[in-house]
Amino acid sequence: MPGEVGSFAVADYLVFGGMLVLSAAIGVYKGWTSRDQSGSRHFLTGNRKLTALPVSTSLITTFMTSVTLLTNPVEVYNYGGIFVLLCFSYTVAIFVSSEIFMPFFYRLGFTSIYEYLELRFNRTIRLLGILLFMLQTMLFNGLIIYAPALALNQGAGVDLWGGIISTAIICTIYCTLGGMKAVVWTCVLQIGVMLAGNLSVIIKAVMLQGGVSTVLSDAQEGGRMNFWDFDPNPLRRHTFWTLTIGGVAGWSGVYGTSQAQVQTYISCKSVTHARVAMYINLLGLMCIMLSSVFAGFCLYSIYKNCDPLTAGLVSASDQMMPYLVMDIMKGYPGLPGLYFAGVYSGTLSTVSCTINSLTAVTLVDLIKPYTTLSTKHLSILSKGLSLFYGLLFIGMAGLASLMGGMMEAVVIVSGIIQGPMFGVFTLGVLCPFVNSKGVVSGLVSGVLASLCVCLGALFSPPTPEMTRPLPLTTAGCNFTTSPNWTSTAPPTQPTLFATTVSHNSSDIHQLAEGWQSISYLYFGIVGTLACLIVGVIVSLLTGGWNETVDPKLTFMKEDALTYQLYKFLKDSITRKRSKCDQKKDTKTEFCLDSKSGT
């Protein structure tokens, strides 16, 4: 039964502030140690001398944001543990990316992946891709900064604008001073803080409930251990098919053709280090997912008889985890600060990586082609751009604070760009007959298709029969104090992320059920498929078979590790057979010589 929650103590502020200071210190240190190394290449890719371990942590934290820690456990709390099937999606997506896209981009060595679009197609497509990337990144990062600050403000009383400004300033400091090396090494610190914060909540919850077996038993009785559902209906929110097919397509786009991820793994000293980094990253993704699922089980075990959202203790589902932390950790100074430091670490890592990627794209794609600046001036300009984008994100966070209920729409609309862009790069890399007319047509079609399904889901949400939220109750609520978590926002305020469970099903039942309510996990793949299909058809109709493409600009089988292993095994078998044949020939000659001698 929820009681009166705690508040931040001095120890919590010290832990939280310590993480921010250490992050800034790493940037200052990396900037000082590399002060004699100039050039934008060093600033943006670390001169491609980084090793697998630090790069892997940056790959993990770039898209495992504060949203992951705040909402994934709530997703399990509301819909069950089937969410863990994303681990399968991670595995397939990392394999595809490490076999096709990673070695391809590493071989080309572009700082900006949009350089490739001009060489493969034309400058118009390059500029169109840049425009979509910058629009998506700036909108999304404004929300990434604002959303956790709002949730933690309402959950722990942390000053809203203090959180926003400190996040942007710290990111700006270490990105501006240290570049890619600072971004990567701060991610090593931040992934440790994220895991420590999450584990502290899990351990305390398990101790409170009397052991792991109790937590799992409660999850089983509450229907949260629903790991298998093979319903092929694409309108269903979470099934085996939506989580695997939609997840594979989405995460392949993230790790295969995202500027932030590509720029990170091409910073490795060799393609082997880059490949190892991706698979270490896979282990990290699985650890975070498994801990998030178990945290969701803990959340349900504690609040199974009194749902805080229904009871009005919180006004949005993304406040559930902060509420849990302040509820069960009161009396343990420093531990709430550790958890919130982990949440902000997710924000810092994501924002810093995107500041670096925006700087790279702006410098390489929009400035260098039109200027003849020296290496020193380009280095200074790189730092200036990092400072500019860091300050811009504060403004974007302010814009997000004014948008109210439209924030969820912006998150959805900004998310539709990744799917079609994944289709564009797939056409370029794997389909040598595709031409620029086909790619432009495919990109426009993909964006429109994704936009249609996103807007359809926004204005005509799926019914409970499709989302199937699991039962929650307030029968065990017995408040000794008045709920005070909704005082900073009206109860009708929507959550910032697409993970809210509607508790007013009578209104939802009146909404039309149709294909416009497709599972959110299919938003990206709709755009990708539309881009691929239209791109191939238009290219074939406009003379694509006569297209002459430099083989280096398409995928080469020698890039793939599986081909190299196949060739190695084939050569080994061939050598063994050759040795056996030589031995047989030698033995036959010896026998013939013996017979002739007798």
Side-chain angles (χ1 to χ4, degrees):
M1 178 188 70
E4 185 175 357
V5 298
S7 58
F8 248 36
V10 174
D12 298 313
Y13 282 107
L14 290 175
V15 172
F16 185 81
M19 182 273 297
L20 296 178
V21 171
L22 281 174
S23 296
I26 291 174
V28 173
Y29 173 76
K30 288 297 178 183
W32 175 257
T33 56
S34 60
R35 64 190 183 280
D36 296 328
Q37 301 182 44
S38 61
S40 58
R41 181 181 177 87
H42 168 75
F43 186 82
L44 298 174
T45 63
N47 280 334
R48 302 184 74 176
K49 292 182 179 180
L50 298 175
T51 55
L53 185 59
V55 168
S56 67
T57 61
S58 183
L59 291 173
I60 295 168
T61 56
T62 300
F63 284 93
M64 285 292 162
T65 67
S66 54
V67 178
T68 304
L69 297 179
L70 289 172
T71 62
N72 279 7
V74 182
E75 194 76 12
V76 175
Y77 174 81
N78 287 322
Y79 298 104
I82 193 172
F83 203 58
V84 77
L85 290 178
L86 279 178
C87 287
F88 174 79
S89 303
Y90 296 155
T91 304
V92 177
I94 294 298
F95 176 77
V96 170
S97 299
S98 67
E99 286 297 288
I100 299 175
F101 296 102
M102 184 277 291
F104 173 77
F105 284 116
Y106 193 93
R107 171 167 54 83
L108 294 180
F110 295 137
T111 301
S112 167
I113 59 175
Y114 301 100
E115 293 179 80
Y116 168 74
L117 294 181
E118 181 172 355
L119 291 177
R120 176 65 176 84
F121 301 111
N122 57 42
R123 185 159 187 78
T124 301
I125 296 173
R126 177 182 183 178
L127 293 175
L128 187 57
I130 293 167
L131 176 64
L132 292 174
F133 163 73
M134 297 183 77
L135 176 65
Q136 174 196 11
T137 303
M138 286 188 286
L139 285 174
F140 187 69
N141 275 274
L143 291 165
I144 285 295
I145 294 174
Y146 175 71
L150 176 63
L152 301 185
N153 167 258
Q154 296 177 346
V158 177
D159 182 70
L160 175 63
W161 283 101
I164 291 173
I165 294 173
S166 62
T167 299
I169 288 177
I170 295 299
C171 285
T172 303
I173 288 174
Y174 68 76
C175 286
T176 302
L177 294 179
M180 175 58 81
K181 287 187 176 181
V183 170
V184 167
W185 283 105
T186 50
C187 286
V188 175
L189 166 68
Q190 289 156 3
I191 190 67
V193 176
M194 289 172 67
L195 290 173
N198 213 27
L199 287 175
S200 68
V201 178
I202 291 173
I203 292 171
K204 176 58 181 174
V206 168
M207 292 172 60
L208 194 65
Q209 294 304 98
V212 174
S213 59
T214 303
V215 172
L216 295 178
S217 176
D218 289 341
Q220 178 69 41
E221 292 176 4
R224 265 65 188 174
M225 301 186 77
N226 55 340
F227 297 120
W228 304 106
D229 185 346
F230 292 96
D231 186 350
N233 189 342
L235 306 183
R236 290 282 309 283
R237 181 182 180 87
H238 288 162
T239 66
F240 175 85
W241 306 111
T242 59
L243 287 163
T244 55
I245 297 176
V248 167
W251 286 100
S252 294
V254 166
Y255 281 97
T257 61
S258 164
Q259 168 65 28
Q261 300 294 63
V262 173
Q263 186 180 342
T264 299
Y265 57 61
I266 68 168
S267 301
C268 288
K269 61 172 61 177
S270 68
V271 71
T272 301
H273 273 268
R275 185 171 278 117
V276 171
M278 293 195 74
Y279 282 104
I280 296 176
N281 154 75
L282 174 60
L283 295 177
L285 293 179
M286 288 186 171
C287 289
I288 291 175
M289 175 54 67
L290 292 174
S291 66
S292 295
V293 170
F294 192 75
F297 290 159
C298 293
L299 188 64
Y300 176 75
S301 181
I302 291 174
Y303 296 128
K304 62 181 182 294
N305 295 321
C306 184
D307 175 37
L309 184 58
T310 308
L313 292 167
V314 296
S315 58
S317 62
D318 50 332
Q319 297 171 20
M320 290 281 288
M321 283 302 292
Y323 180 84
L324 171 70
V325 171
M326 301 309 296
D327 185 18
I328 68 174
M329 288 188 171
K330 53 180 179 285
Y332 294 88
L335 288 183
L338 179 62
Y339 173 79
F340 292 137
V343 172
Y344 266 85
S345 290
T347 299
L348 289 173
S349 58
T350 300
V351 173
S352 61
C353 288
T354 50
I355 286 176
N356 201 261
S357 62
L358 275 171
T359 299
V361 168
T362 304
L363 188 70
V364 173
D365 295 305
L366 301 180
I367 295 178
K368 286 181 70 174
Y370 306 102
T371 61
T372 56
L373 295 175
S374 66
T375 301
K376 182 179 180 179
H377 287 153
L378 286 174
S379 178
I380 295 172
L381 186 57
S382 298
K383 296 181 179 182
L385 287 170
S386 293
L387 177 62
F388 168 74
Y389 283 120
L391 297 176
L392 178 64
F393 285 162
I394 297 178
M396 296 305 298
L399 178 63
S401 69
L402 300 175
M403 296 180 68
M406 286 300 293
M407 285 191 294
E408 187 174 1
V410 174
V411 173
I412 293 175
V413 171
S414 66
I416 69 174
I417 296 174
Q418 186 67 52
M421 286 307 301
F422 179 50
V424 167
F425 282 103
T426 301
L427 288 172
V429 174
L430 298 181
C431 304
F433 59 87
V434 170
N435 57 26
S436 57
K437 294 178 182 178
V439 166
V440 170
S441 302
L443 178 58
V444 173
S445 301
V447 170
L448 290 176
S450 293
L451 184 61
C452 286
V453 296
C454 288
L455 292 178
L458 184 65
F459 294 110
S460 181
T463 63
E465 287 77 10
M466 293 296 103
T467 59
R468 299 191 183 180
L470 297 170
L472 297 167
T473 182
T474 56
C477 296
N478 183 20
F479 300 114
T480 57
T481 59
S482 299
N484 59 3
W485 267 52
T486 56
S487 58
T488 58
T492 56
Q493 180 181 348
T495 182
L496 308 182
F497 311 107
T499 55
T500 307
V501 176
S502 174
H503 291 261
N504 188 5
S505 59
S506 61
D507 292 336
I508 292 182
H509 275 298
Q510 298 174 3
L511 297 171
E513 178 182 334
W515 288 94
Q516 70 273 19
S517 300
I518 194 171
S519 171
Y520 73 97
L521 288 163
Y522 283 145
F523 289 174
I525 198 172
V526 167
T528 301
L529 289 176
C531 180
L532 292 175
I533 294 170
V534 173
V536 168
I537 292 174
V538 172
S539 294
L540 293 177
L541 293 176
T542 56
W545 286 117
N546 299 321
E547 192 81 5
T548 302
V549 180
D550 185 347
K552 294 181 180 179
L553 297 178
T554 58
F555 176 71
M556 302 170 66
K557 60 184 179 181
E558 290 79 12
D559 291 334
L561 178 62
T562 48
Y563 175 79
Q564 295 174 13
L565 292 175
Y566 163 76
K567 187 177 179 181
F568 173 77
L569 292 174
K570 182 180 178 181
D571 291 344
S572 297
I573 294 172
T574 302
R575 285 195 298 269
K576 288 182 179 180
R577 286 180 176 176
S578 177
K579 288 180 180 179
C580 289
D581 292 339
Q582 289 177 2
K583 288 181 179 180
K584 288 180 179 179
D585 292 341
T586 302
K587 189 173 182 180
T588 302
E589 291 176 3
F590 176 77
C591 291
L592 291 173
D593 291 342
S594 299
K595 288 181 180 180
S596 61
T598 56

